[in-house]
Structures are given as C-alpha cells and as structure tokens.
Amino acid sequence: MTEPDGSVVVRVLSYNIRSMRDDVAALARVIRACRPDIVCVQEAPRFFRWRQAAAGLAGSCGLVYVSGGATASGPMILSSLRAHVERTEDVLLPRTPGLHQRGFATAVLRFGRARLGVLSCHLSIDDQERYEQGRLLLERLSALDVPYAVAAGDLNDRPDGRTFGLLANALRDGWATEPWGREHTTRLGDPLQRIDAVFVTEGVQVLGCGVPMGLPGVEEPDLRAATDHLPVLAALRVPAA
C-alpha cells in the first residue's frame, strides 16, 4: 500500500524453513496466507538443485527469488512483484573450524519512491562467533547505504542474550516496539523461546510484529507441519526516499 506522501506499507516475513525437509505444501500455505512483500528465509536449500527448489517455493507462493540460498550458506530473500530489485549481494562470513559456514543474503528493494535495504541472517550456535556475526551484521546493514533497512532472521539467541542485545541496542526490535500475534518462535510444544526476530533502522515505523497465529488462513496444523520454527511477520511503513 502506497500512502499519499509516498511512504509504503510492506509486509516482511522471517521464516526458518529447515531446508524444505518437512511439508512443503503446508509451508507454502503459511507463506501465502501472510501475504508478504518480502520473505527473509533461513535454512534455504543449499545442495542438489537448490536453485530449482528455491524457484519452486517462490512460484508456489506467488513470489520471486531475489538473492541468497547456497551462495549465502542458507539465508535467502524472496519478494513480491511489488518490489523493484536495485541490487543484491550474498556474503559469506568468517568460519570457525568445526562450525557451520554462515552468511547473509542482502538486497536493496524499491517500492515506488521508498527504498529499503534487506538482510536475511541465521547466526551461529556458538556465543562468541554469534556475537562477532552480530557486529558484522550491523556493519553490512550500514554498508547497504540506504536510509531505511530491515534485518530479519534466526538469531539462535534470546532477548536476554548479548548478541540479541547488541542488535536491539543499535536497531529497533519489531516485537518489542509494536507486539502483535504470538511472541515465541520455537515450534509449538517446544520450550517457549523468541529466537527469531525482525529489526528495523530509525525512521521505519513498525505497525505490528509477531508470529501470525490467528491470521486468517494461517492454520495451526500447517504451522506444525511446515518446519520446526514459527514465522515472524512485520508490517512496516517505509518513508519515501
């Protein structure tokens, strides 16, 4: 939706899809019901025919592939046709021996006169490596060189953790700013934790952010079947450039 002043409302979905190893039809139904303009994916397919899998998921959700996947070691960005893709960059992060390779998928998208930097991330399970990746995330977001940006993903950290705190001090945590829906992002029935989040830079207005439980079309059986995380949906108002 475009406002009279040129600002736009965009819906950003962050979702760890566990390499599409679960019920892909349920996954697509959840994504479609959220009607996102941008999807920040974590654990996108990374191996045999990963591009085909990514394109298939995007197509089944009425979206297009933007960046990431195997080239970012898991994080990926999809978008609706509302978005004009100005540029993309996939980033591989320094790797600690014995731990998984991590990366960022990044893009600059334009919606009419509004430009938005986007970063999808999946941070390390190791505390020290994760904290360093949080610092690199802030540097990379700044390097996008746009006035407004969003970073979303699986942090592998809780709000009381030091990496989550690092990001929340530099950016605005969507749930903490304007909570909506369900808070905790771990699989239904698992211990309650909020380890997935959407962060925005100053100037981006958070209209609501949380797990879209109760949203029309988002059914609990689909959330259980789609993957081992719950999605986070944020409605954001982005000013015109």
Side-chain angles (χ1 to χ4, degrees):
M1 181 174 65
T2 302
E3 305 289 340
D5 62 359
S7 65
V8 297
V9 174
V10 298
R11 296 162 71 97
V12 177
L13 186 70
S14 181
Y15 209 174
N16 183 321
I17 65 172
R18 197 159 74 151
S19 298
M20 296 170 60
R21 297 200 303 266
D22 301 288
D23 188 332
V24 178
L27 177 67
R29 286 193 295 269
V30 171
I31 294 174
R32 285 198 305 270
C34 292
R35 296 184 292 112
D37 298 294
I38 302 166
V39 184
C40 290
V41 173
Q42 300 86 47
E43 292 194 32
R46 294 186 294 125
F47 301 110
F48 184 63
R49 293 182 176 173
W50 70 269
R51 291 184 186 276
Q52 181 178 342
L57 177 65
S60 68
C61 299
L63 304 169
V64 295
Y65 169 85
V66 175
S67 68
T71 48
S73 199
M76 181 171 72
I77 299 172
L78 308 177
S79 80
S80 71
L81 292 175
R82 284 185 68 199
H84 171 78
V85 181
E86 290 193 0
R87 65 180 189 270
T88 66
E89 183 178 7
D90 299 330
V91 180
L92 293 178
L93 301 176
R95 179 171 176 264
T96 302
L99 297 177
H100 291 300
Q101 176 70 63
R102 304 281 177 172
F104 301 144
T106 73
V108 175
L109 305 179
R110 179 163 50 80
F111 298 85
R113 289 163 43 210
R115 299 172 69 231
L116 184 67
V118 182
L119 186 152
S120 177
C121 67
H122 186 185
L123 303 187
S124 176
I125 61 172
D126 177 80
D127 179 70
Q128 184 57 45
E129 185 181 56
R130 179 170 61 243
Y131 188 76
E132 180 59 27
Q133 290 170 355
R135 292 180 58 253
L136 293 173
L137 185 157
L138 295 175
E139 291 178 7
R140 181 60 54 172
L141 209 60
S142 177
L144 292 176
D145 195 29
V146 288
Y148 310 111
V150 57
D154 178 353
L155 304 185
N156 273 316
D157 202 21
R158 297 181 299 274
D160 60 353
R162 64 172 186 154
T163 302
F164 201 117
L166 172 73
L167 299 180
N169 285 336
L171 306 168
R172 287 190 297 136
D173 173 8
W175 167 265
T177 301
E178 197 65 41
W180 167 88
R182 186 180 194 266
E183 176 182 4
H184 301 105
T185 64
T186 41
R187 177 169 47 190
L188 294 168
D190 286 355
L192 297 177
Q193 299 184 81
R194 182 161 75 94
I195 59 174
D196 305 80
V198 175
F199 294 93
V200 298
T201 58
E202 285 297 325
V204 178
Q205 182 183 1
V206 181
L207 304 177
C209 180
V211 175
M213 296 283 289
L215 191 73
V218 178
E219 305 293 339
E220 185 172 317
D222 283 344
L223 290 172
R224 291 182 181 276
T227 177
D228 62 345
H229 282 242
L230 297 177
V232 180
L233 178 64
L236 310 175
R237 178 175 283 115
V238 184

CSV table of all heavy atoms in Angstrom, one decimal, residues 101-132:
chain,number,residue,atom,x,y,z
A,101,GLN,N,29.4,-23.1,8.1
A,101,GLN,CA,29.5,-21.8,7.4
A,101,GLN,C,28.3,-21.0,7.5
A,101,GLN,O,27.2,-21.5,7.4
A,101,GLN,CB,29.8,-22.1,5.9
A,101,GLN,CG,30.0,-20.9,5.1
A,101,GLN,CD,31.2,-20.1,5.3
A,101,GLN,OE1,32.3,-20.5,5.1
A,101,GLN,NE2,31.0,-18.8,5.8
A,102,ARG,N,28.4,-19.7,7.8
A,102,ARG,CA,27.2,-18.8,7.8
A,102,ARG,C,27.4,-17.7,6.8
A,102,ARG,O,28.5,-17.4,6.3
A,102,ARG,CB,27.1,-18.2,9.3
A,102,ARG,CG,27.0,-19.2,10.4
A,102,ARG,CD,25.7,-19.8,10.5
A,102,ARG,NE,25.6,-20.9,11.6
A,102,ARG,CZ,24.5,-21.5,12.0
A,102,ARG,NH1,23.4,-21.1,11.5
A,102,ARG,NH2,24.6,-22.4,12.9
A,103,GLY,N,26.3,-17.0,6.5
A,103,GLY,CA,26.3,-15.9,5.6
A,103,GLY,C,25.1,-15.0,5.7
A,103,GLY,O,24.2,-15.3,6.5
A,104,PHE,N,25.1,-14.0,4.9
A,104,PHE,CA,24.0,-13.0,4.8
A,104,PHE,C,23.5,-13.0,3.4
A,104,PHE,O,24.3,-13.0,2.5
A,104,PHE,CB,24.4,-11.6,5.2
A,104,PHE,CG,24.9,-11.4,6.6
A,104,PHE,CD1,25.9,-10.5,6.9
A,104,PHE,CD2,24.4,-12.2,7.7
A,104,PHE,CE1,26.4,-10.3,8.2
A,104,PHE,CE2,24.9,-12.0,9.0
A,104,PHE,CZ,25.9,-11.1,9.2
A,105,ALA,N,22.2,-12.9,3.2
A,105,ALA,CA,21.6,-12.5,1.9
A,105,ALA,C,21.2,-11.1,2.0
A,105,ALA,O,20.5,-10.7,3.0
A,105,ALA,CB,20.5,-13.4,1.5
A,106,THR,N,21.6,-10.2,1.1
A,106,THR,CA,21.2,-8.8,1.2
A,106,THR,C,20.7,-8.3,-0.1
A,106,THR,O,21.0,-8.9,-1.2
A,106,THR,CB,22.4,-7.9,1.6
A,106,THR,OG1,23.4,-7.8,0.5
A,106,THR,CG2,23.2,-8.5,2.8
A,107,ALA,N,19.9,-7.3,0.0
A,107,ALA,CA,19.3,-6.7,-1.2
A,107,ALA,C,18.9,-5.2,-0.9
A,107,ALA,O,18.6,-4.9,0.3
A,107,ALA,CB,18.1,-7.5,-1.8
A,108,VAL,N,18.8,-4.4,-1.9
A,108,VAL,CA,18.1,-3.1,-1.8
A,108,VAL,C,16.9,-3.2,-2.8
A,108,VAL,O,17.1,-3.4,-4.0
A,108,VAL,CB,19.1,-2.0,-2.2
A,108,VAL,CG1,18.3,-0.6,-2.2
A,108,VAL,CG2,20.3,-1.9,-1.3
A,109,LEU,N,15.8,-3.0,-2.2
A,109,LEU,CA,14.5,-3.1,-2.9
A,109,LEU,C,13.8,-1.7,-2.9
A,109,LEU,O,13.9,-1.0,-2.0
A,109,LEU,CB,13.6,-4.1,-2.3
A,109,LEU,CG,14.1,-5.5,-2.1
A,109,LEU,CD1,13.1,-6.4,-1.4
A,109,LEU,CD2,14.6,-6.1,-3.4
A,110,ARG,N,13.2,-1.4,-4.0
A,110,ARG,CA,12.4,-0.2,-4.1
A,110,ARG,C,10.9,-0.4,-4.3
A,110,ARG,O,10.6,-1.3,-5.2
A,110,ARG,CB,13.0,0.7,-5.3
A,110,ARG,CG,12.3,2.0,-5.5
A,110,ARG,CD,13.1,3.0,-6.3
A,110,ARG,NE,13.5,2.4,-7.6
A,110,ARG,CZ,12.8,2.3,-8.7
A,110,ARG,NH1,11.6,2.6,-8.7
A,110,ARG,NH2,13.3,1.7,-9.8
A,111,PHE,N,10.1,0.3,-3.6
A,111,PHE,CA,8.7,0.2,-3.7
A,111,PHE,C,8.2,1.6,-4.0
A,111,PHE,O,8.1,2.4,-3.1
A,111,PHE,CB,8.0,-0.3,-2.4
A,111,PHE,CG,8.4,-1.7,-2.0
A,111,PHE,CD1,9.6,-1.9,-1.2
A,111,PHE,CD2,7.7,-2.8,-2.3
A,111,PHE,CE1,10.0,-3.2,-0.9
A,111,PHE,CE2,8.0,-4.1,-1.9
A,111,PHE,CZ,9.2,-4.3,-1.2
A,112,GLY,N,8.0,1.9,-5.3
A,112,GLY,CA,7.7,3.3,-5.6
A,112,GLY,C,8.8,4.2,-5.3
A,112,GLY,O,10.0,4.0,-5.8
A,113,ARG,N,8.6,5.2,-4.5
A,113,ARG,CA,9.7,6.1,-4.1
A,113,ARG,C,10.4,5.7,-2.8
A,113,ARG,O,11.3,6.4,-2.4
A,113,ARG,CB,9.1,7.5,-3.9
A,113,ARG,CG,8.7,8.2,-5.2
A,113,ARG,CD,7.7,9.4,-5.0
A,113,ARG,NE,8.2,10.2,-3.9
A,113,ARG,CZ,7.3,10.9,-3.2
A,113,ARG,NH1,6.0,10.8,-3.4
A,113,ARG,NH2,7.8,11.7,-2.2
A,114,ALA,N,10.0,4.6,-2.2
A,114,ALA,CA,10.6,4.2,-1.0
A,114,ALA,C,11.6,3.1,-1.3
A,114,ALA,O,11.4,2.2,-2.1
A,114,ALA,CB,9.6,3.6,0.0
A,115,ARG,N,12.8,3.2,-0.7
A,115,ARG,CA,13.9,2.2,-0.9
A,115,ARG,C,14.2,1.6,0.5
A,115,ARG,O,14.3,2.3,1.5
A,115,ARG,CB,15.2,2.9,-1.4
A,115,ARG,CG,15.0,3.6,-2.8
A,115,ARG,CD,16.1,4.4,-3.2
A,115,ARG,NE,17.3,3.6,-3.5
A,115,ARG,CZ,18.5,3.8,-3.0
A,115,ARG,NH1,18.7,4.7,-2.1
A,115,ARG,NH2,19.5,3.0,-3.3
A,116,LEU,N,14.4,0.3,0.5
A,116,LEU,CA,14.6,-0.5,1.7
A,116,LEU,C,15.7,-1.5,1.5
A,116,LEU,O,15.7,-2.3,0.6
A,116,LEU,CB,13.3,-1.2,2.1
A,116,LEU,CG,13.3,-2.0,3.4
A,116,LEU,CD1,13.4,-1.0,4.6
A,116,LEU,CD2,12.0,-2.8,3.5
A,117,GLY,N,16.7,-1.4,2.4
A,117,GLY,CA,17.7,-2.4,2.5
A,117,GLY,C,17.2,-3.6,3.3
A,117,GLY,O,16.5,-3.4,4.2
A,118,VAL,N,17.6,-4.8,2.8
A,118,VAL,CA,17.1,-6.0,3.4
A,118,VAL,C,18.3,-6.9,3.7
A,118,VAL,O,19.1,-7.1,2.8
A,118,VAL,CB,16.0,-6.7,2.5
A,118,VAL,CG1,15.5,-8.0,3.2
A,118,VAL,CG2,14.9,-5.8,2.1
A,119,LEU,N,18.3,-7.5,4.9
A,119,LEU,CA,19.3,-8.5,5.2
A,119,LEU,C,18.6,-9.7,5.9
A,119,LEU,O,17.9,-9.5,6.9
A,119,LEU,CB,20.4,-7.9,6.1
A,119,LEU,CG,21.6,-8.7,6.5
A,119,LEU,CD1,22.8,-7.8,6.7
A,119,LEU,CD2,21.3,-9.6,7.7
A,120,SER,N,18.9,-10.9,5.4
A,120,SER,CA,18.4,-12.1,6.0
A,120,SER,C,19.6,-12.9,6.6
A,120,SER,O,20.6,-13.0,6.0
A,120,SER,CB,17.7,-13.0,4.9
A,120,SER,OG,17.3,-14.3,5.5
A,121,CYS,N,19.4,-13.3,7.8
A,121,CYS,CA,20.6,-13.9,8.6
A,121,CYS,C,20.1,-15.2,9.3
A,121,CYS,O,19.0,-15.3,9.7
A,121,CYS,CB,21.2,-12.9,9.5
A,121,CYS,SG,20.1,-12.5,10.9
A,122,HIS,N,21.1,-16.0,9.6
A,122,HIS,CA,21.0,-17.2,10.5
A,122,HIS,C,22.3,-17.3,11.3
A,122,HIS,O,23.3,-17.7,10.7
A,122,HIS,CB,20.7,-18.4,9.7
A,122,HIS,CG,20.4,-19.6,10.6
A,122,HIS,ND1,20.2,-20.9,10.0
A,122,HIS,CD2,20.2,-19.7,11.9
A,122,HIS,CE1,19.9,-21.7,11.0
A,122,HIS,NE2,19.9,-21.0,12.2
A,123,LEU,N,22.3,-16.8,12.5
A,123,LEU,CA,23.5,-16.6,13.3
A,123,LEU,C,23.9,-18.0,13.9
A,123,LEU,O,23.2,-18.9,14.1
A,123,LEU,CB,23.4,-15.5,14.3
A,123,LEU,CG,23.0,-14.2,13.8
A,123,LEU,CD1,23.0,-13.1,14.9
A,123,LEU,CD2,23.8,-13.7,12.6
A,124,SER,N,25.2,-18.0,14.4
A,124,SER,CA,25.8,-19.2,14.9
A,124,SER,C,25.2,-19.7,16.2
A,124,SER,O,24.6,-18.9,17.0
A,124,SER,CB,27.3,-18.9,15.1
A,124,SER,OG,28.0,-20.0,15.7
A,125,ILE,N,25.4,-20.9,16.5
A,125,ILE,CA,25.0,-21.5,17.8
A,125,ILE,C,26.1,-21.3,18.8
A,125,ILE,O,25.8,-21.4,20.0
A,125,ILE,CB,24.7,-23.0,17.7
A,125,ILE,CG1,26.0,-23.8,17.2
A,125,ILE,CG2,23.5,-23.3,16.8
A,125,ILE,CD1,25.8,-25.3,17.2
A,126,ASP,N,27.3,-20.8,18.4
A,126,ASP,CA,28.4,-20.5,19.3
A,126,ASP,C,28.3,-19.1,19.8
A,126,ASP,O,28.3,-18.2,18.9
A,126,ASP,CB,29.7,-20.8,18.6
A,126,ASP,CG,30.9,-20.5,19.5
A,126,ASP,OD1,31.2,-21.3,20.4
A,126,ASP,OD2,31.5,-19.4,19.3
A,127,ASP,N,28.4,-18.8,21.1
A,127,ASP,CA,28.2,-17.5,21.6
A,127,ASP,C,29.2,-16.5,21.0
A,127,ASP,O,28.8,-15.4,20.6
A,127,ASP,CB,28.2,-17.5,23.1
A,127,ASP,CG,28.0,-16.1,23.7
A,127,ASP,OD1,26.9,-15.6,23.6
A,127,ASP,OD2,29.0,-15.6,24.2
A,128,GLN,N,30.5,-16.8,21.1
A,128,GLN,CA,31.5,-15.9,20.6
A,128,GLN,C,31.4,-15.6,19.1
A,128,GLN,O,31.4,-14.5,18.7
A,128,GLN,CB,32.9,-16.4,20.9
A,128,GLN,CG,34.0,-15.4,20.6
A,128,GLN,CD,33.8,-14.1,21.3
A,128,GLN,OE1,33.5,-14.0,22.5
A,128,GLN,NE2,34.0,-13.0,20.6
A,129,GLU,N,31.2,-16.7,18.3
A,129,GLU,CA,31.1,-16.5,16.9
A,129,GLU,C,29.8,-15.7,16.6
A,129,GLU,O,29.8,-14.8,15.7
A,129,GLU,CB,31.1,-17.8,16.2
A,129,GLU,CG,31.0,-17.7,14.6
A,129,GLU,CD,31.0,-19.0,13.9
A,129,GLU,OE1,30.1,-19.8,14.2
A,129,GLU,OE2,31.9,-19.2,13.1
A,130,ARG,N,28.7,-16.0,17.3
A,130,ARG,CA,27.4,-15.3,17.1
A,130,ARG,C,27.6,-13.8,17.3
A,130,ARG,O,27.1,-13.0,16.6
A,130,ARG,CB,26.4,-15.9,18.0
A,130,ARG,CG,25.0,-15.3,17.8
A,130,ARG,CD,23.9,-16.1,18.5
A,130,ARG,NE,24.2,-16.2,20.0
A,130,ARG,CZ,24.4,-17.4,20.6
A,130,ARG,NH1,24.4,-18.5,19.9
A,130,ARG,NH2,24.6,-17.4,21.9
A,131,TYR,N,28.3,-13.4,18.4
A,131,TYR,CA,28.4,-12.0,18.7
A,131,TYR,C,29.2,-11.3,17.6
A,131,TYR,O,28.9,-10.2,17.2
A,131,TYR,CB,29.1,-11.9,20.1
A,131,TYR,CG,29.2,-10.5,20.6
A,131,TYR,CD1,28.0,-9.9,21.2
A,131,TYR,CD2,30.3,-9.7,20.5
A,131,TYR,CE1,28.1,-8.6,21.6
A,131,TYR,CE2,30.4,-8.4,21.0
A,131,TYR,CZ,29.2,-7.9,21.5
A,131,TYR,OH,29.3,-6.5,22.0
A,132,GLU,N,30.3,-11.9,17.1
A,132,GLU,CA,31.0,-11.3,16.1
A,132,GLU,C,30.1,-11.2,14.8
A,132,GLU,O,30.2,-10.2,14.1
A,132,GLU,CB,32.3,-12.2,15.8
A,132,GLU,CG,33.1,-11.6,14.6
A,132,GLU,CD,33.7,-10.2,14.9
A,132,GLU,OE1,33.8,-9.8,16.1
A,132,GLU,OE2,33.9,-9.5,13.9
